[in-house]
Amino acid sequence: MFGYVKVAEDDLKVKEYKRYKKYYCDLCRHIANYSQIARMMLSYDMVFFSLLLEPDAANECTMSKKEIRRCRKKHDSSNMLYISAISVMLLYHKLENDIQDGERLKRFAQRLIVRGYKKALSDYPVIGERISCAMETLYRLENEKCSDFATLEHAFSLPFADIFTCAPDRDVFASLRAQLAYHVAAWVYWFDMLQDVELDRSSGDFNAILLQENETDARAEILDLLDGHVRQAHDILNMLPYNENTPIVKNIILLGLPMQVGCGTSQKNKYVLKSCQS
């Protein structure tokens, strides 16, 4: 993805920030199973998905402390390996998209990770096929100059929901996690598009905002979409069981994402943040 899904560090407790950094380091180490080069391009976005993949702890009340530690260690390793494979898959497709946009130097980087990409596909063929199909659909829509926001959003965001519905160690809350992931991915898609308007205008690259009849109205609609996805992601988070990652995930949704808008955060964004926290 694009590196927008980050924590608001100043609003995390020290133990929460240490946990967040531990997930980042663990994911980086697990990516080495597929590609050393890919480790250099690790995105914080994928750390968010690894945090969200934390399994349900509802059955821990019947387990001893030793069994709980053993179970958590097993799940953590399995989940990290799964997310690391997906990280390599997504990186491969992002490089492919950059190449199609004319960044030919990215082809060298793509070749360096192709072996890891094929191994990731071999290890997790179901999610690999879904990601590949979704990215092909998105490229086709962009090449056809699709201007329908809903169609574009669905094509980009659906594979991120599939990460959770296809997870090897998914639990009864997998569908809720999938919905939350969809909203965060959609937020990333629209924010990136909003960020790139002027760059795409000068380069002639695809940008659905520039295809609308009224650019001002289109920008306002994107801001509405950003607000809506933050609100819906937060609502879904409240339906998930609480665990040690919940405060970090909440920080990212309510503070980290809106923070990316920076000083340009609208009054509407501030209202959404305030209303979600209340």
Side-chain angles (χ1 to χ4, degrees), residues 240-260:
L240 288 169
Y242 186 94
N243 59 46
E244 291 177 288
N245 292 345
T246 300
I248 308 173
V249 174
K250 185 173 183 178
N251 172 288
I252 292 170
I253 292 171
L254 290 184
L255 298 172
L257 295 184
M259 179 182 67
Q260 295 300 314

Side-chain angles (χ1 to χ4, degrees), residues 197-198 201 209-210 212-220:
V197 168
E198 297 308 323
R201 193 196 308 277
I209 295 173
L210 299 176
Q212 307 303 310
E213 291 185 6
N214 188 307
E215 185 179 325
T216 301
D217 289 346
R219 286 173 180 263

